[in-house]
Amino acid sequence: LDVMKQNNITSVVVVAATHPEQVVGLLHIFDILIPVIFYGTFGPINNTQQLLQRIKSEVFDSTISDNLKISSEGSLPLLSLDCSSPVLDLAEQLTKTSRHRVFINEEHRDKPELYMISQSDVLRFIFSRIDGMGSIMNKSIQELKLYEKKEENLITIPSTAMALHGFEILRRSFNRELMGAAIVDENSKLVGSLSASDLRNLDRNNLDQLMMPVLDYLKVVHAKRTSSAFFFTVSPSDSLRSAI
């Protein structure tokens, strides 16, 4: 958790203790959060301090190997592509599997190095070269059929929910390859969003923040954010360029 917090990331590569060059898995913050959620959801929620102490002693004192491969992505076999592989191979692995990250190796070197590319890296790459992507970027989201208008597919979190319970709802959707959920008020109006990235600064010293109402939690964890908005939206008529 300290490594994730210091580097502002949500997953870390796990290597063998005796062979640092050997990658044994990928630890996602959800791998750590899932047992926290379990204790928080089914534990003595009426006694917050007792619950936090139990989580700290039974979850945070566990080893990395205890938490590895709990989430859907972490349980998948590690996948790597050679740096000379076509970009289409990378796109296929990121879109047709539950993976959000793919390892890239350089086996042709005398001392091969391992890199990792995430979906966010691909999106940033597209954005940096968006003017050369052709006319498709000017087509509307609706025209490209990039979304489905089916209310039953939308995962929502009540704005009155505790942040911990909000992440429990999100955890249930994690295995459906969804990394975020909408926060709605009593009138089903969109008032925010919650995702795994909102856990970046979690550690044993600020675990009590998970007991806050979800919107208050977001205000605290994003206190330094320049924008006060908890979410951004686009309409079906907006272009793919504007969405990216």
Side-chain angles (χ1 to χ4, degrees), residues 139-154:
K139 292 186 177 182
S140 70
I141 296 171
Q142 187 172 30
E143 184 180 2
L144 294 171
K145 299 180 180 180
L146 292 178
Y147 78 104
E148 292 183 274
K149 193 175 182 180
K150 294 182 179 179
E151 292 184 3
E152 63 268 22
N153 286 343
L154 185 63

Side-chain angles (χ1 to χ4, degrees), residues 2-214:
D2 287 340
V3 172
M4 293 184 193
K5 184 174 182 178
Q6 292 167 7
N7 293 277
N8 195 32
I9 55 178
T10 57
S11 63
V12 292
V13 176
V14 181
V15 298
T18 54
H19 298 86
E21 72 284 354
Q22 181 183 349
V23 176
V24 296
L26 186 68
L27 183 72
H28 193 274
I29 196 164
F30 262 128
D31 293 318
I32 302 171
L33 183 66
I34 285 174
V36 171
I37 289 174
F38 178 83
Y39 283 112
T41 303
F42 302 103
I45 200 68
N46 57 317
N47 190 329
T48 303
Q49 291 306 315
Q50 180 183 347
L51 172 61
L52 289 173
Q53 189 57 43
R54 183 180 179 187
I55 291 174
K56 289 178 181 179
S57 62
E58 297 190 34
V59 178
F60 283 81
D61 288 341
S62 60
T63 65
I64 289 178
S65 60
D66 292 333
N67 293 280
L68 198 60
K69 299 185 178 182
I70 291 179
S71 68
S72 60
E73 184 176 18
S75 63
L76 292 171
L78 291 176
L79 176 70
S80 66
L81 295 173
D82 187 76
C83 62
S84 61
S85 300
V87 174
L88 283 178
D89 289 354
L90 173 64
E92 182 177 12
Q93 296 301 332
L94 289 175
T95 57
K96 293 186 178 181
T97 70
S98 298
R99 297 176 176 87
H100 298 91
R101 301 159 186 83
V102 174
F103 289 103
I104 306 296
N105 59 58
E106 295 184 327
E107 294 181 349
H108 62 281
R109 289 191 172 186
D110 293 335
K111 293 184 178 180
E113 293 190 36
L114 192 67
Y115 300 90
M116 187 167 64
I117 293 182
S118 67
Q119 290 178 342
S120 297
D121 293 326
V122 175
L123 194 61
R124 280 190 287 267
F125 176 84
I126 293 174
F127 180 73
S128 68
R129 293 163 174 79
I130 199 165
D131 290 333
M133 292 293 175
S135 60
I136 191 173
M137 288 296 166
N138 296 321
K139 292 186 177 182
S140 70
I141 296 171
Q142 187 172 30
E143 184 180 2
L144 294 171
K145 299 180 180 180
L146 292 178
Y147 78 104
E148 292 183 274
K149 193 175 182 180
K150 294 182 179 179
E151 292 184 3
E152 63 268 22
N153 286 343
L154 185 63
I155 304 297
T156 61
I157 297 170
S159 59
T160 55
M162 186 187 303
L164 186 69
H165 290 165
F167 283 115
E168 160 59 11
I169 295 173
L170 189 59
R171 181 199 66 79
R172 293 200 301 264
S173 70
F174 190 77
N175 289 333
R176 293 171 51 185
E177 302 178 32
L178 299 176
M179 295 295 289
I183 302 173
V184 297
D185 63 15
E186 62 275 10
N187 298 315
S188 296
K189 179 182 177 182
L190 181 65
V191 294
S193 66
L194 191 70
S195 72
S197 62
D198 296 316
L199 290 165
R200 291 177 189 268
N201 293 313
L202 181 70
D203 60 29
R204 68 167 62 225
N205 298 316
N206 59 16
L207 192 63
D208 58 331
Q209 293 176 356
L210 290 173
M211 307 301 171
M212 301 171 64
V214 62

